[in-house]
Amino acid sequence: MSAVFPDVADVVRNSIEAARPSLKGWGIPAELPDTLPPVMAFNPELLPDAMRGWIMDIAHRMQCPPDFPAVAAITAISSLIGARAVIQPKAKDDWRVVPNMWGNIIGIPGAQKSPATSEALQPLNKLEQKARDAWEAEKEVWDLDVKVAELQNEANARDAKALAQKDPAAAREKLKPIDLPPSPANRRFIFNDTTVEKLGELMSVNPWGFLAYRDEIHGLLKSMDREGQEGARAFYLQGYDGNQSYTFDRIGRGTVRIERVCIAMLGGIQPGRIQSYVRDAVAGGSGDDGLLQRFGLTVWPDLPPGFKNVDQWPDMEAKQRAYDVFDHLAAIEVTEPRVWRYDDIAQGLFNNWREEFEPQIRSGDLHPALAAHLSKYRKLVPALSLIFAMIDSPDTGVVGAEHLGRAIDWSEYLRTHAERLYSAAVMPETGAAKALLAKIRSGALGESFTPRQVAQKCWAGMTTTEAVRKAAELLADYDWLHRDVVQTGGRPSERYDVNPRVWSRA
């Protein structure tokens, strides 16, 4: 090719180089940190034999992590035991643990949180319906007894009127009201949405505890953050202990005393919402009172890779075996909590576990929020060991090394999920920043932009100028962007210039 007619490829290359922004003054952008530490995968051996087949069958048919139905089922069973049984973890101490658990299932929309949880709660819902049917039948008979008593009182009043002049003593005797049997108690196993005052009334006739279930628990957490809800928050915090009394004094309602506040709690939440809540809690917001740390059964699993369309009948044998566990535990009747203890081997195992565990949370090496969460394992481990023992042998009163060993395995598995949860407290929020960077790389924003321009596009996670500004500031911290404040005569405006290396690295 002659000099008069230059090579076409050279012309194109030179044109591209001339149009490319200069790299002068720009640093090399660093990778954004990963906000999700790895978690331990769920091992089916964590489950008692009577529950394993049923839980794994649910997970297989729904193609969801087995963590979801496992946590839901264990939390539901803990609510059945409630305060009916307690464990005394030390051989020579009166410290007692009530096994009511709080479970929190974290997953993105569409991860099958709700269907898996609903399936695992079916035995509890079945018990709830059975108890309601029985109560309605008893209530119908009681209502008739009340009407008969009213008629008898009316008849006695007429008789007393006739006797009043002749025999006042007999008249007074006639006016004595007829004694009625107490109104039949409606046993409750689960509730979804109620005021704390109504919850107190329900608990006064259900003193051994029940399950508070919210499909989306973020609403409950945020409602307790509002001004004026301090009493509700205190009530739930006390309900976690499972053995403390509580008294409501309300005008119009009078005084309601609950001898034992025992609440098991379960709910699901999306990652973005729980991360935001964690940041508020550890920053000293209204959530900084240990409420979140009480959700010991918090799981945030990775979704299984791929998808398989499973269309098969449930494993009815495994399902019935699990349902029998629920029925048996629901039938336990006590007048005082039954105290369980460790056998000699389990006691030695528990002592060894505490001697290794306590220095970890007292060392000061952990983030305070994570340390506070793990400190609740003082309850979680003995409580889980009692639950597993009562699933296998509900009448022995003794917890063996097998059950305690399984509980310790659970604590190790759950700790990895807690570390993922509280990573939001020590790492920046990178989700929106990564999404913004992807939009920049696609060419949707050009070489510079303002937060307002991005917010107007209504992209997910970037619908407000403040959200865009936070994402852009993080990208600027890692040299992907440069913030430039422009003074135009009025209020200064901000614009973000894009590091040209964004496209070369893409």
Side-chain angles (χ1 to χ4, degrees):
M1 187 76 65
S2 66
V4 179
F5 300 101
D7 183 59
V8 174
D10 290 338
V11 173
V12 173
R13 188 180 301 110
N14 292 335
S15 299
I16 294 175
E17 290 296 331
R20 181 174 293 168
S22 172
L23 298 178
K24 185 177 181 180
W26 287 98
I28 299 176
E31 293 296 331
L32 294 173
D34 188 354
T35 60
L36 292 182
V39 294
M40 189 180 295
F42 188 83
N43 185 345
E45 294 300 317
L46 290 171
L47 293 167
D49 291 343
M51 310 295 295
R52 188 178 305 133
W54 175 55
I55 294 299
M56 299 311 295
D57 181 60
I58 292 174
H60 174 64
R61 288 185 292 108
M62 294 192 175
Q63 290 291 283
C64 71
D67 317 57
F68 294 168
V71 165
I74 296 301
T75 306
I77 287 176
S78 82
S79 73
L80 282 179
I81 300 172
R84 292 175 176 82
V86 298
I87 185 166
Q88 202 157 297
K90 291 184 177 180
K92 302 175 182 178
D93 194 290
D94 60 359
W95 169 38
R96 295 179 178 180
V97 171
V98 181
N100 56 313
M101 293 280 92
W102 286 18
N104 186 15
I105 297 171
I106 305 171
I108 61 173
Q112 295 284 66
K113 297 190 305 294
S114 297
T117 301
S118 297
E119 186 72 17
L121 293 182
Q122 279 303 311
L124 206 61
N125 288 322
K126 184 179 177 182
L127 289 167
E128 174 89 4
Q129 186 60 52
K130 183 179 178 180
R132 181 167 185 82
D133 291 343
W135 173 77
E136 288 178 346
E138 293 176 14
K139 182 70 163 47
E140 185 175 347
V141 173
W142 185 81
D143 287 340
L144 293 176
D145 290 340
V146 170
K147 291 180 179 178
V148 170
E150 290 173 350
L151 294 174
Q152 289 177 330
N153 286 330
E154 291 173 3
N156 288 341
R158 289 193 297 268
D159 293 343
K161 185 176 181 180
L163 291 171
Q165 297 297 327
K166 300 176 182 178
D167 190 350
R172 283 194 295 271
E173 192 66 28
K174 283 285 187 180
L175 289 175
K176 290 182 178 179
I178 296 174
D179 293 333
L180 285 173
S183 174
N186 182 14
R187 182 177 179 184
R188 297 294 302 273
F189 292 88
I190 185 170
F191 71 90
N192 302 107
D193 186 14
T194 184
T195 65
V196 70
E197 289 81 10
K198 182 61 177 179
L199 182 58
E201 291 181 11
L202 293 173
M203 194 160 287
S204 65
V205 295
N206 293 270
W208 301 111
F210 40 64
L211 177 69
Y213 170 59
R214 296 287 287 267
D215 180 54
E216 179 51 67
I217 207 166
H218 183 258
L220 176 64
L221 294 175
K222 296 302 290 184
S223 70
M224 288 192 288
D225 288 345
R226 299 192 192 107
E227 186 177 353
Q229 291 299 309
E230 295 82 3
R233 197 175 188 91
F235 183 79
Y236 277 101
L237 287 170
Q238 200 149 323
Y240 172 80
D241 293 334
N243 55 8
Q244 303 294 320
S245 62
Y246 199 91
T247 301
F248 288 97
D249 292 305
R250 296 288 188 273
I251 296 175
R253 289 178 178 265
T255 298
V256 177
R257 177 172 173 79
I258 306 166
E259 294 300 326
R260 191 181 296 105
V261 182
C262 182
I263 303 173
M265 194 181 301
L266 176 67
I269 196 168
Q270 297 174 19
R273 288 182 168 180
I274 194 63
Q275 287 177 307
S276 175
Y277 192 86
V278 167
R279 290 189 180 92
D280 289 344
V282 302
S286 56
D288 189 18
D289 59 1
L291 180 71
L292 183 63
Q293 283 83 0
R294 283 164 167 78
F295 286 90
L297 294 182
T298 292
V299 289
W300 187 347
D302 298 318
L303 294 181
F307 174 80
K308 179 181 179 182
N309 184 39
V310 178
D311 185 5
Q312 66 185 45
W313 295 110
D315 184 338
M316 296 307 297
E317 182 179 349
K319 183 176 181 179
Q320 187 58 53
R321 193 179 178 195
Y323 275 46
D324 289 344
V325 170
F326 282 80
D327 292 341
H328 194 106
L329 293 175
I332 294 176
E333 295 184 3
V334 295
T335 55
E336 289 294 330
R338 184 180 182 185
V339 180
W340 287 58
R341 297 176 180 273
Y342 290 126
D343 64 22
D344 291 341
I345 298 176
Q347 188 66 64
L349 179 60
F350 180 76
N351 294 342
N352 291 338
W353 172 76
R354 282 208 74 190
E355 288 172 359
E356 294 179 3
F357 172 74
E358 289 291 342
Q360 297 176 31
I361 59 175
R362 297 166 183 250
S363 64
D365 296 335
L366 301 174
H367 188 281
L370 178 59
H373 184 99
L374 296 180
S375 71
K376 304 302 180 185
Y377 285 16
R378 294 166 180 150
K379 167 173 176 166
L380 181 137
V381 168
L384 284 176
S385 69
L386 174 57
I387 292 169
F388 297 145
M390 293 190 71
I391 289 174
D392 288 344
S393 306
D395 304 315
T396 63
V398 176
V399 177
E402 176 189 354
H403 305 114
L404 178 57
R406 177 172 282 129
I408 292 174
D409 289 343
W410 266 84
S411 73
E412 294 172 355
Y413 150 77
L414 289 168
R415 178 168 179 162
T416 65
H417 290 258
E419 289 169 349
R420 172 173 284 190
L421 173 65
Y422 290 100
S423 67
V426 296
M427 291 185 180
E429 186 175 6
T430 62
K434 289 180 178 179
L436 179 58
L437 182 58
K439 294 294 185 181
I440 293 170
R441 281 173 164 165
S442 71
L445 294 173
E447 297 178 9
S448 67
F449 61 87
T450 66
R452 185 170 179 271
Q453 288 173 336
V454 178
Q456 289 175 338
K457 297 180 182 294
C458 295
W459 289 326
M462 293 177 281
T463 56
T464 66
T465 55
E466 183 60 27
V468 177
R469 186 177 293 110
K470 286 182 179 180
E473 284 297 320
L474 182 58
L475 290 176
D477 289 342
Y478 286 82
D479 288 330
W480 293 98
L481 301 175
H482 172 72
R483 181 172 179 265
D484 187 22
V485 179
V486 180
Q487 188 71 44
T488 58
R491 191 170 61 179
S493 62
E494 57 187 352
R495 175 172 289 275
Y496 290 90
D497 299 322
V498 178
N499 187 335
R501 285 189 169 88
V502 165
W503 296 286
S504 62
R505 292 190 58 158

